[in-house]
Short mmCIF file of all heavy atoms in Angstrom, two decimals:
data_model
loop_
_atom_site.label_atom_id
_atom_site.label_comp_id
_atom_site.label_asym_id
_atom_site.label_seq_id
_atom_site.Cartn_x
_atom_site.Cartn_y
_atom_site.Cartn_z
N ILE A 35 13.29 -10.26 9.90
CA ILE A 35 12.70 -9.05 10.37
C ILE A 35 12.66 -8.04 9.22
O ILE A 35 13.67 -7.82 8.57
CB ILE A 35 13.44 -8.44 11.55
CG1 ILE A 35 13.27 -9.35 12.80
CG2 ILE A 35 12.90 -7.05 11.91
CD1 ILE A 35 14.03 -8.86 14.01
N TYR A 36 11.48 -7.51 8.98
CA TYR A 36 11.31 -6.49 7.94
C TYR A 36 10.74 -5.21 8.56
O TYR A 36 10.17 -5.23 9.64
CB TYR A 36 10.33 -7.00 6.87
CG TYR A 36 10.77 -8.24 6.15
CD1 TYR A 36 10.28 -9.50 6.55
CD2 TYR A 36 11.66 -8.20 5.10
CE1 TYR A 36 10.71 -10.66 5.91
CE2 TYR A 36 12.09 -9.36 4.44
CZ TYR A 36 11.59 -10.57 4.84
OH TYR A 36 12.01 -11.72 4.23
N TYR A 37 10.94 -4.11 7.84
CA TYR A 37 10.42 -2.83 8.30
C TYR A 37 9.08 -2.62 7.65
O TYR A 37 9.01 -2.38 6.43
CB TYR A 37 11.42 -1.70 7.98
CG TYR A 37 12.79 -2.04 8.61
CD1 TYR A 37 13.79 -2.65 7.86
CD2 TYR A 37 13.01 -1.80 9.94
CE1 TYR A 37 14.98 -2.99 8.44
CE2 TYR A 37 14.22 -2.15 10.54
CZ TYR A 37 15.20 -2.74 9.78
OH TYR A 37 16.38 -3.06 10.39
N GLY A 38 8.04 -2.82 8.42
CA GLY A 38 6.71 -2.96 7.85
C GLY A 38 5.79 -1.76 7.99
O GLY A 38 6.08 -0.79 8.67
N GLY A 39 4.65 -1.88 7.33
CA GLY A 39 3.69 -0.83 7.24
C GLY A 39 3.46 -0.57 5.76
O GLY A 39 4.42 -0.58 4.97
N LYS A 40 2.23 -0.38 5.35
CA LYS A 40 1.89 -0.34 3.92
C LYS A 40 2.64 0.80 3.24
O LYS A 40 3.18 0.66 2.15
CB LYS A 40 0.41 -0.21 3.78
CG LYS A 40 -0.38 -1.46 4.14
CD LYS A 40 -1.88 -1.28 3.98
CE LYS A 40 -2.26 -1.18 2.52
NZ LYS A 40 -1.99 -2.37 1.74
N GLY A 41 2.71 1.97 3.88
CA GLY A 41 3.41 3.08 3.26
C GLY A 41 4.89 2.82 3.10
O GLY A 41 5.50 3.17 2.10
N LEU A 42 5.50 2.16 4.11
CA LEU A 42 6.91 1.85 4.02
C LEU A 42 7.18 0.84 2.91
O LEU A 42 8.18 0.93 2.21
CB LEU A 42 7.44 1.27 5.36
CG LEU A 42 7.44 2.21 6.55
CD1 LEU A 42 8.18 1.56 7.70
CD2 LEU A 42 8.08 3.56 6.21
N ASN A 43 6.25 -0.10 2.69
CA ASN A 43 6.40 -1.03 1.58
C ASN A 43 6.38 -0.30 0.26
O ASN A 43 7.15 -0.59 -0.64
CB ASN A 43 5.29 -2.06 1.64
CG ASN A 43 5.39 -3.02 2.83
OD1 ASN A 43 6.43 -3.19 3.38
ND2 ASN A 43 4.24 -3.62 3.16
N VAL A 44 5.44 0.63 0.13
CA VAL A 44 5.37 1.45 -1.10
C VAL A 44 6.67 2.19 -1.31
O VAL A 44 7.25 2.21 -2.41
CB VAL A 44 4.18 2.41 -1.07
CG1 VAL A 44 4.19 3.33 -2.29
CG2 VAL A 44 2.84 1.63 -1.01
N SER A 45 7.19 2.81 -0.24
CA SER A 45 8.43 3.58 -0.34
C SER A 45 9.60 2.69 -0.77
O SER A 45 10.41 3.09 -1.59
CB SER A 45 8.77 4.24 0.99
OG SER A 45 8.00 5.39 1.24
N ALA A 46 9.69 1.46 -0.20
CA ALA A 46 10.77 0.59 -0.50
C ALA A 46 10.76 0.18 -1.96
O ALA A 46 11.81 0.16 -2.63
CB ALA A 46 10.73 -0.63 0.42
N VAL A 47 9.58 -0.18 -2.49
CA VAL A 47 9.53 -0.63 -3.90
C VAL A 47 9.71 0.55 -4.85
O VAL A 47 10.36 0.38 -5.90
CB VAL A 47 8.20 -1.36 -4.16
CG1 VAL A 47 8.08 -1.75 -5.60
CG2 VAL A 47 8.11 -2.62 -3.27
N LEU A 48 9.22 1.71 -4.51
CA LEU A 48 9.51 2.90 -5.31
C LEU A 48 11.00 3.14 -5.40
O LEU A 48 11.55 3.40 -6.50
CB LEU A 48 8.83 4.14 -4.72
CG LEU A 48 7.37 4.34 -5.03
CD1 LEU A 48 6.76 5.44 -4.12
CD2 LEU A 48 7.13 4.66 -6.49
N SER A 49 11.71 3.01 -4.28
CA SER A 49 13.15 3.17 -4.27
C SER A 49 13.83 2.12 -5.15
O SER A 49 14.77 2.42 -5.91
CB SER A 49 13.66 3.09 -2.83
OG SER A 49 15.05 3.18 -2.79
N THR A 50 13.36 0.88 -5.03
CA THR A 50 13.89 -0.20 -5.84
C THR A 50 13.80 0.11 -7.35
O THR A 50 14.67 -0.22 -8.15
CB THR A 50 13.18 -1.50 -5.53
OG1 THR A 50 13.48 -1.92 -4.19
CG2 THR A 50 13.55 -2.63 -6.49
N LEU A 51 12.70 0.80 -7.70
CA LEU A 51 12.45 1.11 -9.12
C LEU A 51 13.10 2.44 -9.53
O LEU A 51 12.87 2.93 -10.64
CB LEU A 51 10.97 1.12 -9.39
CG LEU A 51 10.24 -0.23 -9.30
CD1 LEU A 51 8.75 -0.08 -9.38
CD2 LEU A 51 10.77 -1.15 -10.43
N GLY A 52 13.84 3.04 -8.60
CA GLY A 52 14.61 4.26 -8.95
C GLY A 52 13.91 5.53 -8.63
O GLY A 52 14.37 6.60 -9.12
#
Side-chain angles (χ1 to χ4, degrees):
I35 293 179
Y36 300 97
Y37 304 96
K40 291 179 68 63
L42 294 189
N43 293 338
V44 174
S45 282
V47 177
L48 279 169
S49 177
T50 292
L51 292 171

